[in-house]
Amino acid sequence: MKKALSLTLALLMCAALFAACSPDNGGITTTLPAAGALSGGGATTTGDGPAPADNGFSGDVTITVMLMPQAPLDSYMMLRVADAVNARIAELGYKFKVQFTPSGGGWGFDRLVTAVQTGSANLDIIPAHSWSGVNYADGAREGQYIRLDHPENNLLEKYGPDIYGKTEPAVKTAATVAGDQGFGIYGYIIEKDSVSQVGYLVNKTELEALGFTMADFNAKDPSSWEPLLKAYKEKYPGGYPFNVEPEVFDRTANYISFIAPTAGPLGVIFNDSDPEASGTVISSRYENPAYRSFLNTVRGFYQAGYIDPDQGLPGEISANSVSTRRTSGDYLITTFVYTPGQEMLHSQSASSAQGRDIEIAWTPGWSSPLATAETAMGSGLAVYAGSKYIPEAVTFLNLLAGDPVIVNLVGEGIEGESYTLDNGVLTRLDGRGGWNIWRYGVVSANSPAYPLDILSVYELGDEFVELKNFNKIARSIPSSAFVFNSGPVADQYNACIATIDRYAIPLGSGAADPSQYDTFLAELKASGVDDVVAEANRQLQEFLGS
């Protein structure tokens, strides 16, 4: 479900964790400025502009920064935030200024995609989220970004030492991809969901009401849940005790780190007890004995009425069913991809809805977080290849990574208009004054930002500290930083995804009989999965060798 249909775990994680912070598109009545209203003409100099200084800066120029909104942005507030940011930039001794423009409507990227595709972008900094339509790895390969660590210019060292100065090594490694300017760093990858951990949420309140305790829940063996699920079904004949997300349950049962997208055919099976010694071979993720066993278990649950039939249907129907039940606490056990604070969010939601207390239980294959390039690319910014003012653009990214004033201005807007502060805890005002920027698309776990009230309520303290600590304990496997380029086998790859779309959710939810598994495998073979796996391993070995 994470990043499904081009929306990575990043979107759903952020939407779940910070739902109280992001109104929907209808929450603000102001409209977006016309395309190019803020960026028309691009960055300009005053008169002819001063001669470039020895440090590479161009003097009094304006760079255009494109950010992704969570809801429509107020054009006046964009100017207000830009003025405040520019005052801070001047205070720090720089001559350049910034102006902001949205990537599209709420959670949208239509303007970004159009500008890049038509080559008409007067932009200096653009989103590089893996689900933006301008994927970071693809964008680097296609020449859309400036490489920041090229040995001929050392942009990171000269202008951006804070961008990765305090970042966990796994995130910097994940930002290092094969691009048109060589193997290197092409963006500011933000630690919002750089690592993840897979487990189950258990409705502890209901479990104990049924006469069990958490000691009776064995995360290692789903087949042992039968007595628990049966007791719930007997108490609530119309209820569904197991809330299953097939693409997550698959990973909990099979020790798989997928090679994006989530619905794709590739995965790396890793050894949880010794991850460094595994992960050097890519497999066809559905072709293994553990998956067949998993299908038999989940089929039994489905036939017993433990799973909502809607979760066996493809697309949004299944996803909506899972999300609705997870938020309300209307389940006994649910699959779950974790980032800090989410179990508290769902516990709070379930408690508000039904008085439920939710507890998390890790699956044995995911006893600690795993870092991969695909999750690390969930959010980030890059210097657009067409930028005329590269030193200024890298410097601004550096300020986003290290200056507390600019971090909070860009991430949250204007104090008193967008938010209030109480003892250092930030509470967003209704509508955020029209500054509906996605905080986790611009501010990393290393940034000195104010904590949000939503997490203080859950007694987690500063959510950035939580994210940082979570990332510190992440494991990595040799393939963690690998990004697959499906281009050489595009036809086979797309055919495999189409086949998976027909079979994976019905099989993984138990709605389809496991006897269809062999047909599924046969169609995958006919789609060319062996060619895809072979090409992926060729690329992986080339990557590991570099």
Side-chain angles (χ1 to χ4, degrees), residues 321-369:
S321 172
V322 173
S323 178
T324 299
R325 293 184 182 279
R326 186 181 289 153
T327 301
S328 68
D330 185 16
Y331 60 85
L332 184 64
I333 302 164
T334 186
T335 49
F336 193 58
V337 176
Y338 175 81
T339 197
Q342 285 193 305
E343 82 285 10
M344 301 301 291
L345 171 73
H346 288 291
S347 182
Q348 184 77 2
S349 298
S351 178
S352 299
Q354 300 181 13
R356 307 293 202 243
D357 181 22
I358 307 301
E359 188 160 322
I360 198 163
W362 303 120
T363 64
W366 294 83
S367 57
S368 59

Side-chain angles (χ1 to χ4, degrees), residues 223 253-254 288-299 514 517:
S223 65
N254 295 308
N288 62 78
Y291 187 72
R292 186 185 293 271
S293 175
F294 148 80
L295 294 181
N296 289 329
T297 298
V298 75
R299 176 63 172 174
Y517 176 60

Side-chain angles (χ1 to χ4, degrees), residues 511-529:
D513 191 281
S515 63
Q516 293 188 29
Y517 176 60
D518 291 330
T519 304
F520 177 28
L521 292 188
E523 291 194 21
L524 272 179
K525 293 287 188 183
S527 298
V529 70

